[in-house]
Amino acid sequence: MTEPWRVIAREERDELGEGPLWSARHNAIFWVDILSHFVYRYSLADGSVQRWSFSERIGWLVERRNKPGFIAGLQSGFHELDLEPFALRLIVDPEPEFPGNRLNDAKVDQQGRIWAGTMDAALKETTGSFYCMHPDFSLRRVDEGYNITNGPTFSPKQDIMYHTDTGLKTIYRFDLSREGELSNKRVWLKFTDEMGAPDGMTTDADGFIWIAHWGGSRISRWSPDAKLDREIRLPAPQITSITFAGPNLDRMFVTSAAKLLDRSKEKFAGALFEVDAGGVRGLPPGLFAG
């Protein structure tokens, strides 16, 4: 790549591309377009792209450890999902008292638990919460009072969790026990206006945190003590999330959004990018144990 990025060739541009997920099982990247109700799969073997349509907003999908298929977060709650053949089954609506809320972002820890946040889809109320789903499908609310939940990620030892309120431009750091208990919540990093707002995140093999900048046209890498290591500028304003991929976890893919932008002026908005991470490798994604 002459630039540190390239656009994955496809006709579509995502209204709100999010949730990139590396699947070793499929040798592919999966991601969602939340507002257009799509799931995509990009094959690393042949570069083909497939798309599935949903009847409601879908925020994320994660793979299962012991069986094929996924768990997915939709407007209506947590679902079991199979794509081929297509099947969708509701597990639980975490917030029937907030019908305007939706699931927004999630990750799986190495114990096989899903950590997922909710938010007001209309972006008006601070009704978002943070949840942990255990392998037996039991669900706990572990934190609340969020505007826009985003980007959970973990330290390599899984003893620290990072979680974001994009609306407050703030990333929090929690202590995480092996049993899945969070404690000692504190502000880890707060973005300035020039930086945009922190969106999706991932952790690399060195324990550094990569952050997507919504409104900041870049991704950035930070040390565990919140020191900026590097930035990579991208040709789209609304960068949403990041994943490492490939058998060696040495390829990086980044999602973006075209929401509310003039697409005649922002031709790369909503693209899926592959980005040169400068030799850095990622960590394997967690697999849900249920």
Side-chain angles (χ1 to χ4, degrees):
M1 293 180 283
T2 55
E3 297 282 355
W5 52 266
R6 71 179 182 95
V7 174
I8 301 303
R10 60 193 180 98
E11 294 181 4
E12 300 88 353
R13 289 287 184 263
D14 296 327
E15 188 72 9
L16 184 52
E18 263 286 5
L21 171 72
W22 159 243
S23 168
R25 182 182 296 163
H26 295 271
N27 190 28
I29 300 294
F30 290 85
W31 78 100
V32 301
D33 184 339
I34 296 174
L35 298 182
S36 299
H37 308 176
F38 294 138
V39 166
Y40 289 95
R41 180 175 65 195
Y42 169 67
S43 169
L44 269 60
D46 60 14
S48 62
V49 177
Q50 291 179 267
R51 187 178 79 178
W52 292 265
S53 180
F54 290 72
S55 61
E56 58 182 290
R57 293 172 177 173
I58 177 166
W60 50 265
L61 68 168
V62 297
E63 279 197 288
R64 307 179 79 162
R65 180 184 297 169
N66 301 317
K67 60 181 69 176
F70 304 86
I71 304 297
L74 281 77
Q75 177 95 33
S76 57
F78 293 80
H79 291 70
E80 293 183 283
L81 170 65
D82 292 297
L83 293 175
E84 295 172 322
F86 188 91
L88 188 67
R89 184 184 73 82
L90 178 66
I91 301 169
V92 63
D93 177 357
E95 296 173 340
E97 72 275 24
F98 294 124
N101 275 15
R102 66 171 177 82
L103 286 160
N104 189 52
D105 206 355
K107 292 280 173 59
V108 182
D109 66 23
Q110 295 303 320
Q111 303 301 317
R113 299 174 291 238
I114 298 173
W115 299 84
T118 61
M119 59 175 282
D120 174 22
L123 301 175
K124 294 180 180 179
E125 305 294 334
T126 306
T127 52
S129 291
F130 195 32
Y131 293 88
C132 177
M133 176 171 278
H134 292 261
D136 64 358
F137 292 137
S138 63
L139 189 67
R140 293 185 296 124
R141 180 180 290 170
V142 295
D143 201 14
E144 58 187 10
Y146 285 86
N147 185 322
I148 303 172
T149 55
N150 244 318
T153 194
F154 311 94
S155 64
K157 292 183 178 180
Q158 302 267 305
D159 57 348
I160 299 293
M161 174 182 285
Y162 304 87
H163 190 232
T164 293
D165 191 326
T166 298
L168 297 180
K169 300 187 177 184
T170 300
I171 302 172
Y172 300 100
R173 174 174 166 149
F174 299 81
D175 295 335
L176 173 62
S177 75
R178 184 174 177 82
E179 294 72 33
E181 298 296 330
L182 295 181
S183 61
N184 195 21
K185 179 182 179 180
R186 61 273 198 198
V187 173
W188 178 68
L189 180 64
K190 192 170 180 65
F191 271 28
T192 64
D193 290 344
E194 183 276 332
M195 296 164 70
D199 206 312
M201 301 186 289
T202 194
T203 307
D204 66 30
D206 299 319
F208 283 61
I209 309 302
W210 292 80
I211 307 170
H213 292 235
W214 177 275
S217 304
R218 76 195 88 157
I219 58 174
S220 58
R221 183 182 192 240
W222 298 77
S223 67
D225 58 353
K227 298 294 191 298
L228 179 63
D229 174 75
R230 73 185 73 165
E231 295 181 325
I232 300 175
R233 297 279 176 166
L234 294 168
Q238 296 170 169
I239 307 303
T240 58
S241 197
I242 311 164
T243 192
F244 286 91
N248 298 317
L249 294 166
D250 57 355
R251 298 175 68 178
M252 176 183 279
F253 291 85
V254 176
T255 50
S256 68
K259 177 185 177 183
L260 302 178
L261 298 177
D262 183 342
R263 300 191 190 198
S264 67
K265 296 179 180 178
E266 300 288 353
K267 67 176 183 177
F268 294 121
L272 175 68
F273 298 96
E274 182 171 4
V275 177
D276 182 355
V280 175
R281 295 174 184 258
L283 296 168
L287 302 173
F288 180 59

